[in-house]
Amino acid sequence: MSGEQNAQHVNVYESPVFKKALDKLPDEDVVIIEDEIDTIIDDPEIGEQKKGDLSYLRVHKFSLNGQQVLLGYNWQKELITLHLLNIGPHENFMRKQKNGARPI
């Protein structure tokens, strides 16, 4: 992961939920996800900003092995901080996020 944003270092943190989901994936999938994280670091506002209870959350959608995957994150521009909150298939992603991880 490059960690660059306008020549400034971006602090990237992984939630326990995100780490656990990543650990279950094969190495070749992790490489693809790391590329997507680099895309987010290059343009943190690429993900869709959610509303209501999930207003802290941005979701970046991409394809992994022919399946749509959502990567939920929180971008704090003033702190140049990216919190990777969750990753998983589209199915029930928002419901699980609503009942689970909150921003750090």
Side-chain angles (χ1 to χ4, degrees), residues 1 4-5 9 20 22 27 30-31 35 43 46-48 51 68 80 82 84 95 99-100:
M1 288 178 267
E4 294 299 319
Q5 172 66 23
H9 181 72
K20 186 175 180 180
L22 211 57
D27 290 342
V30 172
V31 170
D35 289 343
D43 182 11
I46 194 171
E48 178 186 346
K51 295 178 172 58
Q68 185 179 53
I80 312 173
L82 179 68
L84 304 171
R95 186 178 324 149
N99 295 331

Side-chain angles (χ1 to χ4, degrees), residues 36-49:
E36 293 297 329
I37 292 169
D38 285 339
T39 300
I40 294 169
I41 289 170
D42 291 341
D43 182 11
E45 296 182 2
I46 194 171
E48 178 186 346
Q49 180 77 53

Side-chain angles (χ1 to χ4, degrees), residues 11-31:
N11 297 308
V12 180
Y13 301 99
E14 298 177 347
S15 74
V17 172
F18 183 86
K19 285 181 189 178
K20 186 175 180 180
L22 211 57
D23 287 343
K24 293 179 181 179
L25 296 172
D27 290 342
E28 55 271 7
D29 289 353
V30 172
V31 170

Side-chain angles (χ1 to χ4, degrees), residues 1 3 14 21 32 62 66 78 94-95:
M1 288 178 267
E14 298 177 347
I32 294 168
F62 61 98
E78 60 281 349
M94 294 305 167
R95 186 178 324 149

